Amino acid sequence: MTRLHNDTLLRALLCQPTPYTPVWIMRQAGRYLPEYNATRARAGSFLALAKDPDFATEVTLQPLARFRLDAAILFSDILTIPDAMGLGLYFAEGEGPKFERPLRDEWEIRNLFVPDPANHLRYVLDAVAQIRRALDGRVPLIGFAGSPFTLACYMVEGGGSTEFRIIKTMLYNRPELLHHILDVTARAVSAYLNAQVEAGAQALMMFDTWGGVLSGAAYEEFSLAYLKRVLTLLRRSADGARVPSIVYAKGAGGWLEKLRDAEADAIGLDWTVDLAQARTRLGPDIAIQGNLDPAVLFASPAVIRQQVQHVLNAAGPAPGHVFNLGHGVSQFTSPEHVEVLVDSVHELSRRDVPMAK
Ligand code: CP3
């Protein structure tokens, strides 16, 4: 395997010193980039793009050609797993993801199965291998999956939701049914993430976008317990290198201390949490990823720089910070502003740290 030329992301995730704070951006390959929209138009749709390893490789590399990012993230979606389980993923124009067959009756839930990644999700593994070759050691490749609870939200609701009425009704009325969905999904997520490591992913991220809509007690029982389950089943190293894990925990400001128990290497936070307080509450041994408000990118370059400095100050000088937005970059963001962000993070965080090796 080619030697990794820029390993700042992996070092920061393991709380090791780096000469500057590494930065990447959630949804860095997306609709704010004209070249992404051009490739998407050639592919015909988002799903056609994501399901073709050549197209997926092309768009994964697009933001790296423009910005000095310190990581690549696999171009795919968290909903590949429920799609492989037979729920029928589709995107209604302007409405986001939907399932043709959401999980509603007990019989369907009892018949849920763990898809074999090598078979049902082959296109993702092929994309991982191809992206890794195309990167040629420039930066590490992050593989990812949805958290069991976040996937269950889409599987039960049948699409996006604001109230989460159907899944919360199930959670309170028929908890055993939801536990069954989460159990099967946790096994599916761990098999899928391990297969991505085998195909070449060098760090792993689980997106728990919706755990934050639960009460603290329900969060522990229905989200955190399954994050933990997946993490204990993960391969923690490949080719002699550690494969760090990140849990993105949107809305988790109320129970940061509990998140430590999941034993991920890093916690991704949204912008509602102050990073100085997060550092105190999480302790020095876990890395933090985040957490600039994506809306800052609508402001002027001078304001972006100032807000970057603010996040860097809050994160503090100790190792273990990966700069990111607190959620995905908006499609209405100017790519020039993303460049200002990436360059500001590097400039403003530069420090004298001898690189080992
Ligand atoms: O970060 C990256 O660049 C990697 C690719 C990636 C996508 N989705 C591509 C995508 C990743 C890591 C995701 C994760 C994802 N997908 C999450 C968790 C993170 C988060 O945003 O909270 C969730 C909840 C989904 C489900 C999903 N997929 C939604 C709600 C949508 C529609 C929202 C939207 O922006 O339109 C998608 C579609 C999607 N996934 C797009 C992209 C680039 C936009 C698709 C398009 O081109 O139309």
Side-chain angles (χ1 to χ4, degrees):
M1 271 287 173
T2 331
R3 187 177 157 267
L4 191 52
H5 304 300
N6 174 352
D7 65 354
T8 52
L9 173 89
L10 301 184
R11 285 174 173 280
L13 290 174
L14 297 172
C15 292
Q16 296 166 3
T18 52
Y20 58 84
T21 300
V23 52
W24 69 277
I25 290 168
M26 289 193 273
R27 295 271 170 104
Q28 60 192 25
R31 284 166 298 183
Y32 74 105
L33 287 179
E35 58 271 37
Y36 169 86
N37 293 322
T39 309
R40 186 183 187 271
R42 269 198 289 135
S45 69
F46 167 70
L47 271 184
L49 187 62
K51 288 192 172 182
D52 179 298
D54 290 334
F55 281 134
T57 302
E58 186 178 319
V59 295
T60 299
L61 297 180
Q62 284 171 346
L64 299 169
R66 268 187 188 256
F67 316 119
R68 281 183 278 273
L69 294 158
D70 297 292
I73 180 159
L74 162 70
F75 186 82
S76 185
D77 198 83
I78 64 166
L79 301 176
T80 50
I81 286 185
D83 189 46
M85 288 169 159
L87 273 66
L89 174 65
Y90 68 100
F91 282 80
E93 202 54 51
E95 283 181 58
K98 292 217 181 316
F99 286 109
E100 281 163 27
R101 293 172 291 280
L103 289 180
R104 292 288 160 76
D105 67 56
E106 189 155 352
W107 184 84
E108 282 165 344
I109 291 171
R110 296 284 173 208
N111 277 306
L112 206 59
F113 67 98
V114 175
D116 175 6
N119 180 14
H120 301 97
L121 293 155
R122 182 82 254 159
Y123 64 96
V124 179
L125 306 179
D126 289 345
V128 169
Q130 199 172 321
I131 295 162
R132 180 73 193 271
R133 280 196 299 277
L135 282 171
D136 198 27
R138 276 166 68 190
V139 290
L141 174 61
I142 304 169
F144 71 88
S147 75
F149 179 73
T150 293
L151 291 179
C153 286
Y154 288 96
M155 291 158 74
V156 172
E157 296 286 338
S161 178
T162 48
E163 216 176 16
F164 298 91
R165 182 170 52 82
I166 308 172
I167 190 163
K168 286 193 174 188
T169 305
M170 185 187 288
L171 183 153
Y172 290 112
N173 269 344
R174 299 293 310 273
E176 78 289 357
L177 279 186
L178 183 53
H179 276 302
H180 181 73
I181 297 173
L182 292 166
D183 171 62
V184 176
T185 306
R187 286 186 279 128
V189 168
S190 55
Y192 183 53
L193 289 174
N194 283 334
Q196 290 183 37
V197 171
E198 212 140 290
Q202 291 151 295
L204 293 175
M205 179 144 162
M206 244 191 303
F207 287 92
D208 192 20
T209 303
W210 299 123
V213 305
L214 295 173
S215 71
Y219 178 78
E220 276 190 66
E221 181 178 345
F222 296 94
S223 186
L224 185 61
Y226 293 93
L227 288 167
K228 270 192 213 173
R229 173 94 62 88
V230 172
L231 283 156
T232 50
L233 293 170
L234 286 189
R235 274 187 63 174
R236 296 296 186 112
S237 63
D239 295 331
R242 217 180 130 80
V243 179
S245 56
I246 313 163
V247 168
Y248 170 67
K250 189 165 189 288
W255 46 74
L256 285 187
E257 294 79 2
K258 286 182 192 161
L259 265 168
R260 253 192 324 212
D261 302 350
E263 292 188 36
D265 295 294
I267 305 291
L269 296 172
D270 69 53
W271 60 92
T272 61
V273 182
D274 176 74
L275 288 196
Q277 286 176 25
R279 177 49 77 207
T280 309
R281 291 170 62 192
L282 287 167
D285 302 328
I286 189 162
I288 292 176
Q289 179 173 278
N291 72 342
L292 189 77
D293 181 349
V296 167
L297 291 172
F298 300 137
S300 68
V303 172
I304 295 169
R305 238 180 115 77
Q306 186 194 344
Q307 294 292 325
V308 163
Q309 183 71 67
H310 189 75
V311 171
L312 288 171
N313 290 347
H321 178 219
V322 172
F323 202 102
N324 207 316
L325 300 179
H327 199 197
V329 57
S330 154
Q331 62 173 306
F332 304 109
T333 305
S334 134
E336 287 71 34
H337 286 193
V338 173
E339 185 170 1
V340 170
L341 165 75
V342 172
D343 291 345
S344 304
V345 172
H346 286 158
E347 273 171 50
L348 298 171
S349 69
R350 194 158 286 284
R351 55 197 158 242
D352 251 344
V353 172
M355 284 291 268
K357 279 195 287 189

